[in-house]
Structures are given as structure tokens and as C-alpha cells.
Amino acid sequence: MNASLAFLAPALPACAFFVIVLFGRWLPRGGAPVAIAATAGAFVVFVITLLGMLSDGASAHSIRWFEVQGQATFTWGTVIDPLSVVMLGLVAFVALLIQVYSWSYMREERRFGWYFAVHSLFAAAMMALVLADNLILMYLAWELVGLGSYLLIGYWWEKRSAAEAAKKAFVTTRIGDVGLLIGIILLFKATGTFSISGVISAVETSQVTQPTLNWSLILIFLGAMGKSAQVPLHVWLPDAMEGPTPVSALIHAATMVAAGVYLVARLFPIFDAGSGILPMIAVVGLLTALVGAAMALVQTDLKRVLAYSTVSHLGFMMLALGAGSVGAAMFHLLAHAFAKAALFLGAGAFTHSTHQTDIRRMTGLLRGMRLTSIAFIASALSLAGIPPLAGFFSKDEILLAILDGHLGVVFLVFALIAVVLSALYTGRLLFVLFSSRPFVPEGDKAARGREGGAKAHAEPTPGESHAVPHEAPLLLLLPILILAVLGAVAGLLAFGWTGSYSGFGAYITLGHDKGFHIEPWLTALAFLLVAVALLQTWRSYISQSDPLRSATAVLAPARRLLERKLYFDTVYQWIVDRVVVTAAQVVGLVDRAVVNDKGIEGQGILVRYAGAAMRYLQTGMVYNYALGLALGAFFVAVVWWILS
């Protein structure tokens, strides 16, 4: 019963999308109340499903869609287990809070109803993705998530930067999606089924050869890399900041960027059976965590700092999966979703109040927006790894997963470096935003004018602000506070509270993961590194006694490299201009000169000339026919004479 009812969760927002699109002009506020009610209904379905699962256990339900020549059956189905239910609740709850926030934040927009319609479509697709029991349904929902993100990021399509950002997100993620589709087809060819449980069973019984399995997993992981912004397919995510702030919170918190992590977690038994696949995932995750954290250090646009922070934390999640711990990855996904959604919504409240996005211009926030600032600080410190906030427990679990997963000391060392970088950019962000005497390092002066180019800010003066901060309205403030509280206390899920619940890590993977445990020396080391990093940022931005000031000249090249985004975008643009466009021109030339002119039009020309020549066979002139008879008789006589 649980699985058969769960389909209502995505169905309600999907219906809201069609109702708003078709009848929105006649509905109050463009149909926005319909969208909020539908998402609230989806959350109620989640609660009912959760209670049913706790009493009856995991379940699945599917119906036949169509069958192909008796060889393949396509179904629509849902699977209810701890993994899918946690994601369903996360998506429904965060989407609901963001819609409540958007009611106030987006109230002046002309396309108010359209925003809520696309928001509902996106939420419906994401819920369908996490509930899908087969790869085809999951892929369809996966593509709808991409469509929804394209429409939301490009909501302000009149602004060129927003339109370009939407196209960039769509094209970049499509690269991974092509790999995902091919990987799914390879698995279907090898197993004869699209059912996730059927594919897992076939792999566990060695029905799939190792080369086929490895190639299909690499291609599927390519799809996960695109959606979850793993290096080198991370470039779309920072540019997605051109969308409205609630969209940034939706995409960068619990929904789109979490889809890739969820995909690997859902198919983890298959990835675990691959040869060398998990270490590859760990390498990509570690590289992403380092690159994202390093780039966040030099950003001055508030939303871009948070965007690169998201890239880094997604890397941590993939690193945990590569270390073999689904529980640690999903625990960090949960803690990150609450905290990062609060951070983005808080950033929107700051911008709404100060009309600024440059962190060097936002001053007086702690005095004028005390509640929002406290929620923002608590969420940021959670992701930095400060106890007893949730991020401390989830990051500690990831470090323990690396230690227990036998990835080696190199992985652990670089993971600790990523933790330090995370604390550094968090401290920089907080001390610049909330200090009474903000200190602007010399490197930031050179960076002015290069950051936030799409917004075309004037040259900022340190500490300058054009508006007096004031506390956010209730509909903006309430979702921020709720998410911040959850981001702070979600760490309690790490502990086993009852005999049937031995901690999030063990529960989410149905007992295949270790329960929560602490390695004292590793926990103490990680906390010490975070504390030292925060102290260093305090010395840099408050006391102005930075002991590394003398190293500025040495670090300047690295800073310039990071400010230019490690030249990822430059290289991709060169590939597009020099390779893709050139190849397209060659293909276009071949299409016109060979396919069109010769292959298609050439046949018409041949027929026209042949018809023109053959029309002389029926002229209606007797002397032409007589000439034909004479020549034919002469030809027959010559042939007869030669042959005789």
C-alpha cells in the first residue's frame, strides 16, 4: 500500500503544473496557491509513506506501461525504502519551504504564476526520480529535472547572462546525460531488464561480463557527474546563480545537484561490483572538493561563494561513495541540504534588504538583520564542521569512511586539506559579512570589477552600502529559521536512539554500513584544523595581523589562476569555437555539397534529363518512327551478320 500511494507525491505537483499553465490567468495570483497546496500535499504523502514504511517495511509497486514484441516490458513503478523515503521527504519539504519563501520574494514579478508552474514541474520530476523502480522511468524524470532547471535558471530570459547560463547548464548536463542513456542501454542489453532490482540481481549473479559492467558504470557515472557538478562538468553550477535566489536554493540544496549522488547511491551494489569504479569515483569526488573550495576562496559575489561551496560539498559526497559508504554520503547530503538552503535563502534576504550581492558592500547585517544573520552563521558553521552542528558529524563520517574504506593515507590527507579550505572560505565569508570593520585584502582590490560582471556593479568602496539592512519579512524569515534549525540538529540522526534505529548510516543502507562511530584522533585533528583555519581568517579580516601577508607575492599566481576559474571556461570556449564550430561547418558543407546537391537534388536532375531524352520516343511524327524502324532493322542485320 505504501508504494502504491507514493506515486501521488510527484503526481500532485505535476497536476499543479498543468492547472497553472492552462488556467493560471483565471486563478488568484496566477495559480501560485495551487502549487503550494500541491507541494504541501506531496509532503503529507511523504509522511504517510514514512509511517507505513516504519510499520510494514520496504515495498515496491509497478504497473505495466507497454511491451515490445514479448522481449521487453516497460513499467511505471515506485520503490519505498529508507533511501528513497529520505530523499522524497527532503525534496518535498525543502521545495515547500522555498515556495513559501518565493511567495514574498517573487511577488513583484510579472510571470509570477509561470514561476510556480515550473517550480511544480521541477519538484514533480525530482520526486519521480527518487521513487522510480526502473532505469527508464528514472531517466525520463532525470531529463525533466534538466528541463525544469533550464526554465528556472533562465526565468529572467530577457537578461542575456541568464539566458546564457540556462543554456550552459542544459548543454553541460546533456553531455553527462548522453553517457547515462548509453550506460542504461548497455545494462539492458546485458540483463534484459530495466528494473533496478533486476539489474542488481543480474550483476550479483555474474550475468554481466566485467568489461560491459565497467563501461556501463563509467557512462552512468558520467551522467551523475553532470547533474552533481563534478569536475570537469562543474562549470554550469556557478553560472546558474543568474536565476532567482529561491531557484538557487532549490537547485543547489536538496534537488537537482543531489540527483547524481542519489543515482550512485541507488545503484551502489552495481558500482561496488565494478572493477576500479569506486576508486575512480573517489578521485573525482576528492578533486571536486578541492577545486570547489579553492575557487570559493576568491569569490566576492555572495551567491557565487555559496555555489562553489556546493561544488565542494558535492565532491565530499562522491568521495564518501567512492570510499564505500552510502550512509556517510547521504548523511552529508541531508545536512548540506538544510544548511545550504538556509544559506541561499538568507543570501536572498540580505540582497532583498541591502540591494547588494558583493559581500564587501554588505555591512551592518548583524545589527539590522539579527535573526537572519544568526541563522546564516549557524548554517555556515555547520558546513564548516563546527560541533555540535550537523555538518560536523557528517564530515566526520566521511573522513572515517575514507579511513575504513582503505583508500589510503593520501586520500585522507587531501580530504583534510579540503576541510581546511572549507573552513577558510567560510570564515572569510562570515567575517567580511558580519564584521564591524571589514578588512579588504590587497588581492580583492585587483579582483574588483571582475566579479559579478553580469550585474555590472560600480567600483565598490570597502564597507559601502546603499541601503540600511532591515529584518526580512516573516514569509522570508520563517523558512530560513526552520532550515537553519534543522541544519543544526540533524546531527542527532547519527546516533542510535532505539533498538530498531542504530544511526542514520546503518539505517539508510539497510544495515550494510557501519553505525555512527568516532575515531578520537581523527575527529580531534579535523576539529583542530578547522579551528586554526577560522582563527586565521579572523586574524586576516579583523585584527589585520595576517602572518602570511609576506607570502602575497608567492600566492598571487595561484590567486589569479583561481580568479580565472582554473581556465575551465576558457578551454571549453576554445573547444566550442575551434573544434565544435569548425566540425559543424565541415558537416554543413558536406551536407550541402554532397548529401543535398548530389544525393538529393542530383537524383531529381538525373530524372529530369532522362525524361527529356526519352520523350523523343513518343513524338507523334511518322518520319521519326520510320527512322527508328530503319535504324533498328539495320542494327539487327549487323548483329545477325556478325553472329553468323
Side-chain angles (χ1 to χ4, degrees):
M1 181 63 183
N2 300 331
S4 60
L5 177 67
F7 84 95
L8 288 174
L12 290 173
C15 291
F17 166 76
F18 289 108
V19 168
I20 296 173
V21 169
L22 296 175
F23 310 108
R25 67 178 65 183
W26 298 290
L27 296 174
R29 296 301 305 274
V34 176
I36 296 176
T39 307
F43 182 72
V44 171
V45 172
F46 152 72
V47 174
I48 297 173
T49 303
L50 173 63
L51 295 176
M53 188 195 69
L54 292 177
S55 62
D56 301 333
S59 60
H61 176 76
S62 63
I63 59 174
R64 178 175 295 185
W65 183 16
F66 64 90
E67 188 172 334
V68 179
Q69 296 179 351
Q71 298 180 358
T73 301
F74 296 82
T75 62
W76 297 98
T78 57
V79 58
I80 299 301
D81 60 14
L83 184 61
S84 63
V85 169
V86 166
M87 285 296 298
L88 175 63
L90 190 61
V91 173
F93 184 69
V94 173
L96 177 60
L97 289 181
I98 292 175
Q99 286 187 349
V100 172
Y101 180 96
S102 300
W103 179 274
S104 176
Y105 191 89
M106 303 291 291
R107 66 181 183 275
E108 302 297 333
E109 295 296 328
R110 292 185 295 108
R111 297 185 296 274
F112 188 73
W114 172 247
Y115 168 83
F116 277 89
V118 179
H119 201 288
S120 297
L121 174 65
F122 184 93
M126 192 66 204
M127 293 179 198
L129 190 156
V130 302
L131 290 173
D133 72 338
N134 65 84
L135 294 173
I136 282 294
L137 179 57
M138 178 180 285
Y139 183 77
L140 292 175
W142 185 277
E143 291 300 321
L144 282 176
V145 167
L147 173 62
S149 68
Y150 169 78
L151 295 174
L152 287 171
I153 295 170
Y155 175 77
W156 289 318
W157 53 267
E158 303 93 338
K159 187 171 64 170
R160 181 173 178 81
S161 58
E164 292 295 328
K167 288 191 293 184
K168 186 175 184 179
F170 193 80
V171 172
T172 305
T173 54
R174 289 293 78 69
I175 295 173
D177 293 354
V178 171
L180 173 61
L181 179 59
I182 297 173
I184 290 173
I185 293 173
L186 287 177
L187 282 180
F188 170 73
K189 184 178 180 181
T191 63
T193 180
F194 287 109
S195 168
I196 294 176
S197 59
V199 172
I200 293 175
S201 177
V203 170
E204 290 177 342
T205 55
S206 302
Q207 297 180 28
V208 183
T209 63
Q210 199 65 50
T212 300
L213 180 62
N214 286 344
W215 279 112
S216 62
L217 291 178
I218 291 172
L219 291 167
I220 290 173
F221 181 63
L222 185 64
M225 288 175 62
K227 277 288 192 292
S228 288
Q230 301 294 296
V231 172
L233 299 180
H234 68 287
V235 294
W236 68 268
L237 193 142
D239 287 2
M241 296 300 98
E242 293 294 338
T245 296
V247 170
S248 301
L250 182 71
I251 291 177
H252 295 74
T255 51
M256 179 175 176
V257 295
V261 177
Y262 174 79
L263 174 66
V264 177
R266 171 55 67 193
L267 301 180
F268 186 79
I270 305 176
F271 280 94
D272 192 28
S275 177
I277 301 299
L278 290 184
M280 178 193 71
I281 294 175
V283 170
V284 172
L286 181 59
L287 183 62
T288 303
L290 290 168
V291 168
M295 288 187 178
L297 281 170
V298 300
Q299 302 299 314
T300 57
D301 183 274
L302 177 55
K303 287 174 64 177
R304 283 185 177 270
V305 175
L306 299 179
Y308 280 112
S309 169
T310 301
V311 172
S312 180
H313 284 280
L314 290 168
F316 278 117
M317 297 173 205
M318 284 297 183
L319 177 58
L321 289 170
S325 179
V326 175
M330 296 303 297
F331 190 21
H332 194 61
L333 187 153
L334 188 70
H336 174 267
F338 292 137
K340 188 56 64 69
L343 287 171
F344 270 109
L345 297 185
F350 292 151
T351 302
H352 183 270
S353 177
T354 64
H355 309 294
Q356 300 295 324
T357 60
D358 193 313
I359 60 176
R360 298 163 299 181
R361 284 178 151 185
M362 295 180 175
T363 59
L365 296 175
L366 196 56
R367 294 190 302 272
M369 306 180 67
R370 188 172 299 276
L371 290 176
T372 305
S373 299
I374 291 173
F376 190 95
I377 293 170
S379 300
L381 292 179
S382 174
L383 293 183
I386 297 297
L389 304 175
F392 165 76
F393 295 101
S394 60
K395 274 191 177 180
D396 193 63
E397 283 293 280
I398 292 174
L399 295 176
L400 284 170
I402 297 171
L403 191 65
D404 296 338
H406 308 294
L407 287 177
V409 67
V410 175
F411 276 90
L412 184 60
V413 169
F414 278 101
L416 288 171
I417 292 174
V419 169
V420 171
L421 292 176
S422 178
L424 285 174
Y425 72 69
T426 300
R428 172 180 179 266
L429 174 64
L430 295 180
F431 289 129
V432 171
L433 278 178
F434 302 111
S435 62
S436 57
R437 285 189 306 114
F439 164 66
V440 181
E442 294 179 2
D444 278 349
K445 296 176 183 177
R448 294 174 190 166
R450 287 198 294 268
E451 301 291 347
K455 298 175 179 58
H457 289 312
E459 182 74 11
T461 300
E464 177 188 357
S465 181
H466 299 294
V468 177
H470 54 277
E471 193 58 84
L474 181 62
L475 287 182
L476 296 185
L477 180 60
L478 190 59
I480 298 172
L481 295 178
I482 293 174
L483 289 166
V485 170
L486 290 174
V489 304
L492 297 176
L493 293 173
F495 303 95
W497 297 101
T498 65
S500 60
Y501 181 79
S502 57
F504 189 87
Y507 184 71
I508 197 69
T509 53
L510 299 177
H512 296 303
D513 237 340
K514 293 183 178 180
F516 177 75
H517 61 292
I518 291 179
E519 190 70 39
W521 70 267
L522 183 57
T523 301
L525 176 61
F527 174 69
L528 179 63
L529 291 174
V530 170
V532 171
L534 291 175
L535 176 63
Q536 180 57 42
T537 56
W538 177 81
R539 298 186 67 179
S540 298
Y541 294 95
I542 301 298
S543 69
Q544 303 186 32
S545 58
D546 186 359
L548 297 179
R549 186 75 57 80
S550 59
T552 300
V554 177
L555 298 177
R559 183 183 184 89
R560 287 194 295 270
L561 189 63
L562 292 174
E563 288 171 351
R564 289 167 175 78
K565 307 175 186 177
L566 298 179
Y567 292 97
F568 277 106
D569 288 283
T570 303
V571 172
Y572 288 156
Q573 193 62 51
W574 183 89
I575 293 174
V576 170
D577 294 340
R578 301 298 178 86
V579 179
V580 176
V581 173
T582 301
Q585 290 173 342
V586 172
V587 171
L589 179 63
V590 172
D591 177 66
R592 289 190 301 272
V594 179
V595 177
N596 186 67
D597 295 349
K598 303 299 183 184
I600 298 177
E601 292 187 2
Q603 297 181 42
I605 294 173
L606 178 63
V607 171
R608 185 171 70 247
Y609 279 112
M614 295 181 67
R615 68 187 179 89
Y616 291 106
L617 295 177
Q618 295 290 338
T619 63
M621 304 295 181
V622 176
Y623 58 83
N624 286 338
Y625 300 154
L627 177 62
L629 289 171
L631 291 175
F634 176 76
F635 176 76
V636 170
V638 169
V639 170
W640 177 80
W641 179 74
I642 292 174
L643 293 178
S644 61

